[in-house]
Amino acid sequence: MRMQEDEDRSVGVEDNIDKSFLISVPDNSNLVGETKIDTHRTKVQWKRKSVVTLSLTILTSSQAILIVWSKRAGKYEYSVTTANFLVETLKCAISLLALARLWNKQGVTDDNRLTTTLNEVIVYPIPAVLYLIKNLLQYYIFAYVDAPGYQILKNFNIISTGVLYRIILKKRLSEIQWAAFILLTAGCTTAQLNSNSDHVLQTPFQGWVMAIVMALLSGFAGVYTEAIIKKRPSRDINVQNFWLYIFGMGFNAVAILVQDFDAVMNKGFFHGYSFVTVLMIFNHALSGIAVSMVMKYADNIVKVYSTSVAMILTAIVSVFLFGFHLSLAFFLGTIVVSVAIYLHSAGKIQR
Amino acid sequence: MRMQEDEDRSVGVEDNIDKSFLISVPDNSNLVGETKIDTHRTKVQWKRKSVVTLSLTILTSSQAILIVWSKRAGKYEYSVTTANFLVETLKCAISLLALARLWNKQGVTDDNRLTTTLNEVIVYPIPAVLYLIKNLLQYYIFAYVDAPGYQILKNFNIISTGVLYRIILKKRLSEIQWAAFILLTAGCTTAQLNSNSDHVLQTPFQGWVMAIVMALLSGFAGVYTEAIIKKRPSRDINVQNFWLYIFGMGFNAVAILVQDFDAVMNKGFFHGYSFVTVLMIFNHALSGIAVSMVMKYADNIVKVYSTSVAMILTAIVSVFLFGFHLSLAFFLGTIVVSVAIYLHSAGKIQR
């Protein structure tokens, strides 16, 4: 959590950027002093946004590479539920550590104290519940779609995130940015095309419906998390993370009891854990925190672009690590995704 | 040549649009009358531009469909050189007919008289020579690339046309329009992907160089034709066409003598002609004239967009006519091409 140290605590969240940006328009010479401070603020915010986005991209990409690595090393032998539980526990522990440093430096304030109200905390389990429903549906969709087909259909997530971001957070994208978002979806899908991709066009109606419902659930969970985190801009992100992850621990403890109770009792909690497993748990924990940071200091749109770039990075790195071949479709998809990123920034609404 | 009749002869070419558009900015109340005329002019020009572009799109698309149809009916049994000669002759005849009507209506003027100066006519054979070189290279490139691979590499034409349009005609595209152009290239290529497309990545260096040289030759020929036609804005398009096509006839007559003299002498000029052949000749002649019209009243960029849309239309129509299957790549490419068209118009430079 080194990022946290760079942070200028007097700076608000994204929503406040716009206001301070408006003030910083140099139309009044009396405001020169204030303008300087605002320019500094904007720079700090821009730097922080870039650092969290870059971290998320690198962590997501290395996550995918670790998955390929662990699959090459053999089947998953450890229980996934215990690993998920450990990820949530690690995230909780990291948040608490960051908070301890903060308390040491600044003392306990209204914004960084851990105690909370029911009113604040009641919404925190909702994203976890949404993801749970989505993961349950995931078992059923494979009756209609194969795994590579599901990989293709998952790109609906991009569009659903954009639409729900617009509806729920009421933030506007310019027409050029919408075009960029459509291109991002098409580009990511193109990059993933292979000789079997056309099978997905034979997906039965129920498969399409489930894919769309899952994309909506996943998009809603992401946008809802952003809404929760942004609702209290001055609240410290580590407190918000702590409460998000404590519910995550709870849900995953239940999952161990329901799915893997016997296995854990007979073979032990850490049965089948290897070095790669431990790396994966650390990586998942750090990416989870990076996602929260992106929600706090950037938004879901940035998150979607970041994970798309991670997908492309993963493929390129895999060429060197695992001798993968890149297809023509991958190159074309990468060109489209790159243009989409350019257009997203070129199409920024002028305020 | 019905389009010709709708034409308002007092209206200049594209280059003049910008000037009249500038005048029509309503910042001077004295100019209200003139503004009205200019608005009318702009409408007439917009309508003519749309009609020629739409015609080119439909003709190009039906051309591709006729080719599929004639291939299904069996091998080419007629000599291609005689067919090409007839296409040029037909284009000449149509241009002369249109001119005859014009002379009847308006009398012979400086702009519509057929007689010309060496200075005007000297540049007219150049595009034909460029196409000839490109077609000669086409025989050699197949030593390095197979036919479907060549189809993919031909999309370099799009980029080369854009670059040469910028350099030779010195017309500017906005950054968004350049992005759109890259997307058009990627989208067209994506739409043409099939399970063998990845072979093209194994193209040897000479193949890439030849493909790029051919794209530059073809782009240069297109842009040069536009330069010739636009150099004399007031000159009637049918006179310009007549001189372009008369050289086309000449070059194709030489081709018959060199390639098919014996066959024509022994079997006759029209040996192997069928109903589809005649349809194809008429179609090629009309598309050739449509290309000239697009060069006169629009530009090479519009031509490239038009032929890309024609490619997509052809595939969709082929589903109904020949029971073709559309791939996922085709859908993704079509989405990218559609967004490119939107961005090209959204990214117009404000004058």
Side-chain angles (χ1 to χ4, degrees), chain B residues 226-276:
Chain B
E226 183 178 340
I228 291 173
I229 290 179
K230 290 237 171 96
K231 198 187 171 188
R232 289 177 168 76
S234 66
R235 199 71 162 115
D236 191 79
I237 178 68
N238 291 298
V239 177
Q240 297 181 309
N241 278 349
F242 175 82
W243 285 107
L244 273 175
Y245 304 148
I246 207 86
F247 286 108
M249 277 177 72
F251 280 110
N252 280 291
V254 173
I256 297 178
L257 293 176
V258 174
Q259 272 185 39
D260 290 324
F261 183 73
D262 292 339
V264 168
M265 278 297 143
N266 295 333
K267 299 186 192 166
F269 195 92
F270 294 102
H271 174 80
Y273 276 61
S274 66
F275 179 61
V276 193

CSV table of all heavy atoms in Angstrom, one decimal, chain B residues 226-276:
chain,number,residue,atom,x,y,z
B,226,GLU,N,-8.2,11.6,-59.3
B,226,GLU,CA,-9.0,12.7,-58.6
B,226,GLU,C,-8.3,14.0,-58.9
B,226,GLU,O,-9.0,15.0,-59.2
B,226,GLU,CB,-9.0,12.4,-57.1
B,226,GLU,CG,-9.9,13.5,-56.4
B,226,GLU,CD,-10.0,13.3,-54.9
B,226,GLU,OE1,-9.8,12.1,-54.4
B,226,GLU,OE2,-10.3,14.2,-54.1
B,227,ALA,N,-7.0,14.1,-58.9
B,227,ALA,CA,-6.3,15.3,-59.1
B,227,ALA,C,-6.5,15.8,-60.5
B,227,ALA,O,-6.8,17.0,-60.7
B,227,ALA,CB,-4.8,15.1,-58.9
B,228,ILE,N,-6.5,14.9,-61.5
B,228,ILE,CA,-6.8,15.2,-62.9
B,228,ILE,C,-8.2,15.8,-63.1
B,228,ILE,O,-8.4,16.9,-63.6
B,228,ILE,CB,-6.6,14.0,-63.8
B,228,ILE,CG1,-5.2,13.5,-63.9
B,228,ILE,CG2,-7.2,14.3,-65.2
B,228,ILE,CD1,-5.0,12.2,-64.7
B,229,ILE,N,-9.1,15.1,-62.5
B,229,ILE,CA,-10.5,15.5,-62.7
B,229,ILE,C,-10.8,16.8,-61.9
B,229,ILE,O,-11.5,17.7,-62.4
B,229,ILE,CB,-11.5,14.4,-62.2
B,229,ILE,CG1,-11.4,13.2,-63.2
B,229,ILE,CG2,-12.9,14.8,-62.1
B,229,ILE,CD1,-12.3,12.0,-62.8
B,230,LYS,N,-10.2,17.0,-60.7
B,230,LYS,CA,-10.5,18.2,-60.0
B,230,LYS,C,-9.7,19.4,-60.4
B,230,LYS,O,-10.0,20.5,-60.1
B,230,LYS,CB,-10.2,17.9,-58.5
B,230,LYS,CG,-11.2,16.9,-57.8
B,230,LYS,CD,-11.8,17.5,-56.6
B,230,LYS,CE,-12.9,16.6,-56.1
B,230,LYS,NZ,-12.5,15.8,-55.0
B,231,LYS,N,-8.7,19.2,-61.3
B,231,LYS,CA,-7.8,20.3,-61.7
B,231,LYS,C,-8.6,21.3,-62.5
B,231,LYS,O,-8.3,22.5,-62.4
B,231,LYS,CB,-6.6,19.7,-62.5
B,231,LYS,CG,-5.5,20.7,-62.7
B,231,LYS,CD,-4.4,20.3,-63.6
B,231,LYS,CE,-3.5,21.4,-63.9
B,231,LYS,NZ,-2.5,21.1,-65.0
B,232,ARG,N,-9.6,20.8,-63.3
B,232,ARG,CA,-10.4,21.7,-64.1
B,232,ARG,C,-11.9,21.5,-63.6
B,232,ARG,O,-12.7,20.8,-64.2
B,232,ARG,CB,-10.3,21.3,-65.6
B,232,ARG,CG,-9.0,21.7,-66.1
B,232,ARG,CD,-8.8,21.3,-67.6
B,232,ARG,NE,-7.6,22.0,-68.2
B,232,ARG,CZ,-6.4,21.6,-68.0
B,232,ARG,NH1,-6.1,20.5,-67.2
B,232,ARG,NH2,-5.4,22.2,-68.5
B,233,PRO,N,-12.2,22.2,-62.5
B,233,PRO,CA,-13.5,22.0,-61.9
B,233,PRO,C,-14.7,22.3,-62.8
B,233,PRO,O,-15.7,21.6,-62.7
B,233,PRO,CB,-13.5,23.0,-60.7
B,233,PRO,CG,-12.1,23.5,-60.6
B,233,PRO,CD,-11.4,23.3,-61.9
B,234,SER,N,-14.5,23.3,-63.7
B,234,SER,CA,-15.7,23.7,-64.5
B,234,SER,C,-15.9,22.7,-65.7
B,234,SER,O,-16.9,22.7,-66.4
B,234,SER,CB,-15.5,25.1,-65.0
B,234,SER,OG,-14.4,25.2,-65.9
B,235,ARG,N,-14.8,22.0,-66.1
B,235,ARG,CA,-14.8,21.1,-67.2
B,235,ARG,C,-15.9,20.0,-67.0
B,235,ARG,O,-16.0,19.4,-65.9
B,235,ARG,CB,-13.5,20.4,-67.4
B,235,ARG,CG,-13.1,19.8,-68.7
B,235,ARG,CD,-13.0,20.9,-69.8
B,235,ARG,NE,-12.3,20.4,-70.9
B,235,ARG,CZ,-12.8,20.4,-72.2
B,235,ARG,NH1,-14.1,20.8,-72.3
B,235,ARG,NH2,-12.1,19.9,-73.2
B,236,ASP,N,-16.7,19.7,-68.0
B,236,ASP,CA,-17.7,18.7,-67.8
B,236,ASP,C,-17.1,17.3,-67.6
B,236,ASP,O,-16.2,16.9,-68.3
B,236,ASP,CB,-18.6,18.7,-69.1
B,236,ASP,CG,-19.9,17.8,-68.8
B,236,ASP,OD1,-20.8,18.4,-68.2
B,236,ASP,OD2,-19.9,16.7,-69.2
B,237,ILE,N,-17.7,16.6,-66.6
B,237,ILE,CA,-17.2,15.3,-66.2
B,237,ILE,C,-17.2,14.3,-67.4
B,237,ILE,O,-16.3,13.4,-67.5
B,237,ILE,CB,-17.9,14.7,-65.0
B,237,ILE,CG1,-17.4,13.3,-64.6
B,237,ILE,CG2,-19.4,14.7,-65.3
B,237,ILE,CD1,-16.1,13.3,-64.1
B,238,ASN,N,-18.2,14.4,-68.3
B,238,ASN,CA,-18.3,13.5,-69.4
B,238,ASN,C,-17.1,13.7,-70.4
B,238,ASN,O,-16.7,12.7,-71.0
B,238,ASN,CB,-19.6,13.6,-70.1
B,238,ASN,CG,-20.7,13.1,-69.3
B,238,ASN,OD1,-20.8,12.0,-68.9
B,238,ASN,ND2,-21.6,14.0,-68.9
B,239,VAL,N,-16.7,14.9,-70.6
B,239,VAL,CA,-15.5,15.1,-71.5
B,239,VAL,C,-14.3,14.5,-70.8
B,239,VAL,O,-13.5,13.8,-71.4
B,239,VAL,CB,-15.3,16.6,-71.7
B,239,VAL,CG1,-14.0,16.9,-72.5
B,239,VAL,CG2,-16.4,17.3,-72.3
B,240,GLN,N,-14.1,14.7,-69.5
B,240,GLN,CA,-13.0,14.2,-68.8
B,240,GLN,C,-13.0,12.7,-68.8
B,240,GLN,O,-12.0,12.0,-69.1
B,240,GLN,CB,-13.0,14.7,-67.3
B,240,GLN,CG,-12.9,16.2,-67.2
B,240,GLN,CD,-12.9,16.7,-65.8
B,240,GLN,OE1,-13.8,16.4,-65.0
B,240,GLN,NE2,-11.9,17.5,-65.4
B,241,ASN,N,-14.2,12.1,-68.6
B,241,ASN,CA,-14.4,10.6,-68.7
B,241,ASN,C,-14.0,10.1,-70.1
B,241,ASN,O,-13.3,9.1,-70.3
B,241,ASN,CB,-15.8,10.2,-68.4
B,241,ASN,CG,-16.1,10.1,-66.9
B,241,ASN,OD1,-15.1,10.2,-66.1
B,241,ASN,ND2,-17.3,10.0,-66.5
B,242,PHE,N,-14.5,10.8,-71.2
B,242,PHE,CA,-14.2,10.4,-72.5
B,242,PHE,C,-12.7,10.3,-72.8
B,242,PHE,O,-12.3,9.2,-73.3
B,242,PHE,CB,-14.8,11.4,-73.5
B,242,PHE,CG,-14.5,11.1,-75.0
B,242,PHE,CD1,-15.2,10.1,-75.7
B,242,PHE,CD2,-13.4,11.7,-75.6
B,242,PHE,CE1,-14.8,9.8,-77.0
B,242,PHE,CE2,-13.0,11.4,-76.9
B,242,PHE,CZ,-13.7,10.4,-77.6
B,243,TRP,N,-11.9,11.2,-72.3
B,243,TRP,CA,-10.5,11.2,-72.5
B,243,TRP,C,-9.8,10.1,-71.7
B,243,TRP,O,-8.9,9.5,-72.1
B,243,TRP,CB,-9.9,12.6,-72.3
B,243,TRP,CG,-10.2,13.5,-73.5
B,243,TRP,CD1,-11.0,14.5,-73.5
B,243,TRP,CD2,-9.6,13.3,-74.8
B,243,TRP,NE1,-11.1,15.0,-74.7
B,243,TRP,CE2,-10.2,14.3,-75.6
B,243,TRP,CE3,-8.7,12.4,-75.4
B,243,TRP,CZ2,-9.9,14.5,-76.9
B,243,TRP,CZ3,-8.4,12.6,-76.7
B,243,TRP,CH2,-9.0,13.7,-77.5
B,244,LEU,N,-10.3,9.9,-70.4
B,244,LEU,CA,-9.8,8.8,-69.6
B,244,LEU,C,-10.0,7.5,-70.3
B,244,LEU,O,-9.1,6.6,-70.4
B,244,LEU,CB,-10.5,8.8,-68.2
B,244,LEU,CG,-10.0,9.6,-67.1
B,244,LEU,CD1,-10.9,9.5,-65.9
B,244,LEU,CD2,-8.6,9.2,-66.7
B,245,TYR,N,-11.3,7.3,-70.8
B,245,TYR,CA,-11.6,6.0,-71.3
B,245,TYR,C,-11.1,5.7,-72.7
B,245,TYR,O,-10.8,4.5,-73.1
B,245,TYR,CB,-13.2,5.8,-71.4
B,245,TYR,CG,-13.8,6.1,-70.0
B,245,TYR,CD1,-15.1,6.6,-69.9
B,245,TYR,CD2,-13.1,5.7,-68.8
B,245,TYR,CE1,-15.6,6.9,-68.7
B,245,TYR,CE2,-13.7,6.0,-67.6
B,245,TYR,CZ,-14.9,6.5,-67.5
B,245,TYR,OH,-15.5,6.7,-66.3
B,246,ILE,N,-10.8,6.8,-73.5
B,246,ILE,CA,-10.3,6.5,-74.8
B,246,ILE,C,-8.9,5.9,-74.7
B,246,ILE,O,-8.5,5.0,-75.5
B,246,ILE,CB,-10.3,7.8,-75.7
B,246,ILE,CG1,-10.4,7.5,-77.2
B,246,ILE,CG2,-9.1,8.7,-75.4
B,246,ILE,CD1,-11.8,7.3,-77.7
B,247,PHE,N,-8.1,6.4,-73.7
B,247,PHE,CA,-6.8,5.8,-73.4
B,247,PHE,C,-7.0,4.4,-72.9
B,247,PHE,O,-6.2,3.5,-73.2
B,247,PHE,CB,-6.0,6.7,-72.4
B,247,PHE,CG,-5.5,7.9,-73.1
B,247,PHE,CD1,-6.0,9.1,-72.7
B,247,PHE,CD2,-4.4,7.9,-74.0
B,247,PHE,CE1,-5.5,10.3,-73.3
B,247,PHE,CE2,-4.0,9.0,-74.6
B,247,PHE,CZ,-4.5,10.2,-74.3
B,248,GLY,N,-8.0,4.2,-72.1
B,248,GLY,CA,-8.3,2.8,-71.6
B,248,GLY,C,-8.6,1.9,-72.8
B,248,GLY,O,-8.1,0.7,-72.8
B,249,MET,N,-9.3,2.3,-73.8
B,249,MET,CA,-9.6,1.5,-75.0
B,249,MET,C,-8.3,1.1,-75.6
B,249,MET,O,-8.0,0.0,-76.0
B,249,MET,CB,-10.5,2.3,-75.9
B,249,MET,CG,-12.0,2.2,-75.6
B,249,MET,SD,-12.9,3.2,-76.8
B,249,MET,CE,-12.8,2.2,-78.3
B,250,GLY,N,-7.4,2.2,-75.8
B,250,GLY,CA,-6.1,2.0,-76.5
B,250,GLY,C,-5.3,0.9,-75.8
B,250,GLY,O,-4.8,-0.1,-76.4
B,251,PHE,N,-5.1,1.1,-74.4
B,251,PHE,CA,-4.3,0.1,-73.7
B,251,PHE,C,-4.9,-1.3,-73.8
B,251,PHE,O,-4.1,-2.3,-73.9
B,251,PHE,CB,-4.2,0.5,-72.2
B,251,PHE,CG,-3.3,1.6,-72.0
B,251,PHE,CD1,-3.7,2.9,-71.6
B,251,PHE,CD2,-1.9,1.3,-72.1
B,251,PHE,CE1,-2.7,3.9,-71.4
B,251,PHE,CE2,-1.0,2.3,-71.8
B,251,PHE,CZ,-1.4,3.6,-71.5
B,252,ASN,N,-6.2,-1.4,-73.8
B,252,ASN,CA,-6.8,-2.8,-73.8
B,252,ASN,C,-6.8,-3.4,-75.2
B,252,ASN,O,-6.7,-4.6,-75.3
B,252,ASN,CB,-8.3,-2.7,-73.3
B,252,ASN,CG,-8.3,-2.7,-71.8
B,252,ASN,OD1,-8.0,-3.7,-71.1
B,252,ASN,ND2,-8.6,-1.6,-71.2
B,253,ALA,N,-6.8,-2.5,-76.2
B,253,ALA,CA,-6.6,-3.0,-77.6
B,253,ALA,C,-5.2,-3.7,-77.7
B,253,ALA,O,-5.1,-4.8,-78.3
B,253,ALA,CB,-6.8,-1.9,-78.6
B,254,VAL,N,-4.2,-3.0,-77.2
B,254,VAL,CA,-2.9,-3.5,-77.2
B,254,VAL,C,-2.8,-4.9,-76.4
B,254,VAL,O,-2.2,-5.9,-76.9
B,254,VAL,CB,-1.8,-2.5,-76.6
B,254,VAL,CG1,-0.5,-3.2,-76.4
B,254,VAL,CG2,-1.8,-1.3,-77.4
B,255,ALA,N,-3.5,-4.9,-75.3
B,255,ALA,CA,-3.5,-6.2,-74.5
B,255,ALA,C,-4.1,-7.3,-75.3
B,255,ALA,O,-3.7,-8.5,-75.2
B,255,ALA,CB,-4.3,-5.9,-73.2
B,256,ILE,N,-5.2,-7.0,-76.1
B,256,ILE,CA,-5.8,-8.1,-76.9
B,256,ILE,C,-4.8,-8.6,-77.9
B,256,ILE,O,-4.6,-9.8,-78.0
B,256,ILE,CB,-7.1,-7.6,-77.7
B,256,ILE,CG1,-8.2,-7.2,-76.7
B,256,ILE,CG2,-7.6,-8.7,-78.7
B,256,ILE,CD1,-9.4,-6.6,-77.4
B,257,LEU,N,-4.1,-7.7,-78.6
B,257,LEU,CA,-3.1,-8.1,-79.6
B,257,LEU,C,-2.0,-8.9,-78.9
B,257,LEU,O,-1.6,-9.9,-79.5
B,257,LEU,CB,-2.5,-6.8,-80.2
B,257,LEU,CG,-3.4,-6.0,-81.1
B,257,LEU,CD1,-2.8,-4.7,-81.6
B,257,LEU,CD2,-4.0,-6.9,-82.3
B,258,VAL,N,-1.5,-8.5,-77.8
B,258,VAL,CA,-0.4,-9.2,-77.1
B,258,VAL,C,-0.8,-10.6,-76.6
B,258,VAL,O,-0.1,-11.6,-76.8
B,258,VAL,CB,0.2,-8.3,-76.0
B,258,VAL,CG1,1.3,-9.1,-75.2
B,258,VAL,CG2,0.8,-7.0,-76.6
B,259,GLN,N,-1.9,-10.6,-75.9
B,259,GLN,CA,-2.3,-11.8,-75.1
B,259,GLN,C,-3.2,-12.8,-75.9
B,259,GLN,O,-3.0,-14.0,-75.8
B,259,GLN,CB,-3.0,-11.4,-73.8
B,259,GLN,CG,-2.1,-11.2,-72.7
B,259,GLN,CD,-2.8,-11.0,-71.4
B,259,GLN,OE1,-3.9,-11.6,-71.1
B,259,GLN,NE2,-2.3,-10.0,-70.6
B,260,ASP,N,-4.2,-12.2,-76.6
B,260,ASP,CA,-5.3,-13.1,-77.1
B,260,ASP,C,-5.5,-13.0,-78.6
B,260,ASP,O,-6.6,-13.4,-79.1
B,260,ASP,CB,-6.6,-12.7,-76.4
B,260,ASP,CG,-6.6,-13.2,-74.9
B,260,ASP,OD1,-6.0,-14.2,-74.6
B,260,ASP,OD2,-7.2,-12.4,-74.1
B,261,PHE,N,-4.5,-12.5,-79.3
B,261,PHE,CA,-4.7,-12.3,-80.8
B,261,PHE,C,-5.1,-13.6,-81.5
B,261,PHE,O,-6.1,-13.6,-82.2
B,261,PHE,CB,-3.4,-11.8,-81.4
B,261,PHE,CG,-3.5,-11.5,-82.8
B,261,PHE,CD1,-4.3,-10.4,-83.2
B,261,PHE,CD2,-2.9,-12.3,-83.8
B,261,PHE,CE1,-4.4,-10.1,-84.6
B,261,PHE,CE2,-3.1,-12.0,-85.1
B,261,PHE,CZ,-3.8,-10.9,-85.5
B,262,ASP,N,-4.4,-14.7,-81.2
B,262,ASP,CA,-4.7,-16.0,-81.8
B,262,ASP,C,-6.1,-16.5,-81.5
B,262,ASP,O,-6.9,-16.9,-82.4
B,262,ASP,CB,-3.7,-17.1,-81.4
B,262,ASP,CG,-2.3,-16.7,-82.0
B,262,ASP,OD1,-2.3,-16.0,-83.0
B,262,ASP,OD2,-1.3,-17.2,-81.5
B,263,ALA,N,-6.4,-16.5,-80.2
B,263,ALA,CA,-7.7,-16.9,-79.7
B,263,ALA,C,-8.9,-16.2,-80.4
B,263,ALA,O,-9.8,-16.7,-80.9
B,263,ALA,CB,-7.8,-16.8,-78.2
B,264,VAL,N,-8.7,-14.8,-80.5
B,264,VAL,CA,-9.7,-14.0,-81.1
B,264,VAL,C,-9.8,-14.3,-82.6
B,264,VAL,O,-10.9,-14.4,-83.1
B,264,VAL,CB,-9.4,-12.5,-80.8
B,264,VAL,CG1,-10.3,-11.6,-81.7
B,264,VAL,CG2,-9.6,-12.2,-79.3
B,265,MET,N,-8.7,-14.5,-83.2
B,265,MET,CA,-8.7,-14.8,-84.6
B,265,MET,C,-9.4,-16.1,-85.0
B,265,MET,O,-10.1,-16.3,-85.9
B,265,MET,CB,-7.3,-14.8,-85.2
B,265,MET,CG,-6.7,-13.4,-85.5
B,265,MET,SD,-7.7,-12.6,-86.8
B,265,MET,CE,-7.7,-10.9,-86.3
B,266,ASN,N,-9.0,-17.1,-84.1
B,266,ASN,CA,-9.5,-18.5,-84.4
B,266,ASN,C,-11.0,-18.7,-83.9
B,266,ASN,O,-11.8,-19.2,-84.7
B,266,ASN,CB,-8.7,-19.5,-83.7
B,266,ASN,CG,-7.3,-19.5,-84.2
B,266,ASN,OD1,-7.1,-19.2,-85.4
B,266,ASN,ND2,-6.3,-19.9,-83.4
B,267,LYS,N,-11.3,-18.2,-82.7
B,267,LYS,CA,-12.6,-18.5,-82.1
B,267,LYS,C,-13.6,-17.4,-82.3
B,267,LYS,O,-14.8,-17.5,-82.0
B,267,LYS,CB,-12.5,-18.9,-80.6
B,267,LYS,CG,-11.6,-20.1,-80.4
B,267,LYS,CD,-11.7,-20.4,-78.9
B,267,LYS,CE,-10.6,-21.5,-78.5
B,267,LYS,NZ,-10.4,-21.5,-77.0
B,268,GLY,N,-13.1,-16.2,-82.6
B,268,GLY,CA,-14.0,-15.0,-82.7
B,268,GLY,C,-13.9,-14.2,-81.4
B,268,GLY,O,-13.5,-14.6,-80.3
B,269,PHE,N,-14.3,-12.9,-81.6
B,269,PHE,CA,-14.2,-11.9,-80.5
B,269,PHE,C,-15.1,-12.2,-79.4
B,269,PHE,O,-14.7,-12.1,-78.2
B,269,PHE,CB,-14.5,-10.5,-81.1
B,269,PHE,CG,-14.1,-9.4,-80.2
B,269,PHE,CD1,-12.9,-8.7,-80.4
B,269,PHE,CD2,-15.0,-8.9,-79.2
B,269,PHE,CE1,-12.5,-7.7,-79.6
B,269,PHE,CE2,-14.6,-7.8,-78.4
B,269,PHE,CZ,-13.4,-7.2,-78.6
B,270,PHE,N,-16.3,-12.7,-79.7
B,270,PHE,CA,-17.3,-12.9,-78.6
B,270,PHE,C,-17.4,-14.4,-78.2
B,270,PHE,O,-18.4,-14.7,-77.5
B,270,PHE,CB,-18.7,-12.4,-79.1
B,270,PHE,CG,-18.7,-10.9,-79.3
B,270,PHE,CD1,-18.6,-10.4,-80.6
B,270,PHE,CD2,-18.8,-10.1,-78.2
B,270,PHE,CE1,-18.6,-9.0,-80.8
B,270,PHE,CE2,-18.8,-8.7,-78.4
B,270,PHE,CZ,-18.7,-8.2,-79.7
B,271,HIS,N,-16.3,-15.2,-78.5
B,271,HIS,CA,-16.4,-16.6,-78.1
B,271,HIS,C,-16.5,-16.7,-76.5
B,271,HIS,O,-15.8,-16.1,-75.8
B,271,HIS,CB,-15.1,-17.3,-78.5
B,271,HIS,CG,-15.1,-18.7,-78.0
B,271,HIS,ND1,-15.8,-19.7,-78.6
B,271,HIS,CD2,-14.4,-19.3,-77.0
B,271,HIS,CE1,-15.6,-20.9,-78.0
B,271,HIS,NE2,-14.7,-20.6,-76.9
B,272,GLY,N,-17.5,-17.6,-76.1
B,272,GLY,CA,-17.7,-17.9,-74.7
B,272,GLY,C,-18.5,-16.8,-73.9
B,272,GLY,O,-18.6,-17.0,-72.7
B,273,TYR,N,-19.0,-15.8,-74.6
B,273,TYR,CA,-19.8,-14.8,-73.9
B,273,TYR,C,-21.1,-15.4,-73.6
B,273,TYR,O,-21.8,-16.1,-74.3
B,273,TYR,CB,-20.0,-13.6,-74.8
B,273,TYR,CG,-18.9,-12.6,-74.8
B,273,TYR,CD1,-17.6,-12.9,-75.1
B,273,TYR,CD2,-19.1,-11.3,-74.3
B,273,TYR,CE1,-16.5,-12.0,-75.1
B,273,TYR,CE2,-18.0,-10.4,-74.2
B,273,TYR,CZ,-16.8,-10.8,-74.6
B,273,TYR,OH,-15.7,-9.9,-74.5
B,274,SER,N,-21.6,-15.1,-72.3
B,274,SER,CA,-22.9,-15.6,-71.9
B,274,SER,C,-23.7,-14.3,-71.4
B,274,SER,O,-23.2,-13.2,-71.4
B,274,SER,CB,-22.7,-16.5,-70.8
B,274,SER,OG,-22.2,-15.9,-69.6
B,275,PHE,N,-24.9,-14.6,-71.0
B,275,PHE,CA,-25.7,-13.5,-70.5
B,275,PHE,C,-25.0,-12.8,-69.3
B,275,PHE,O,-25.0,-11.6,-69.2
B,275,PHE,CB,-27.1,-14.1,-70.1
B,275,PHE,CG,-28.0,-13.0,-69.5
B,275,PHE,CD1,-28.4,-11.9,-70.3
B,275,PHE,CD2,-28.5,-13.1,-68.2
B,275,PHE,CE1,-29.2,-11.0,-69.7
B,275,PHE,CE2,-29.3,-12.2,-67.7
B,275,PHE,CZ,-29.7,-11.1,-68.5
B,276,VAL,N,-24.4,-13.7,-68.4
B,276,VAL,CA,-23.8,-13.1,-67.2
B,276,VAL,C,-22.6,-12.2,-67.6
B,276,VAL,O,-22.3,-11.2,-67.0
B,276,VAL,CB,-23.2,-14.2,-66.2
B,276,VAL,CG1,-22.8,-13.6,-64.9
B,276,VAL,CG2,-24.3,-15.3,-66.0
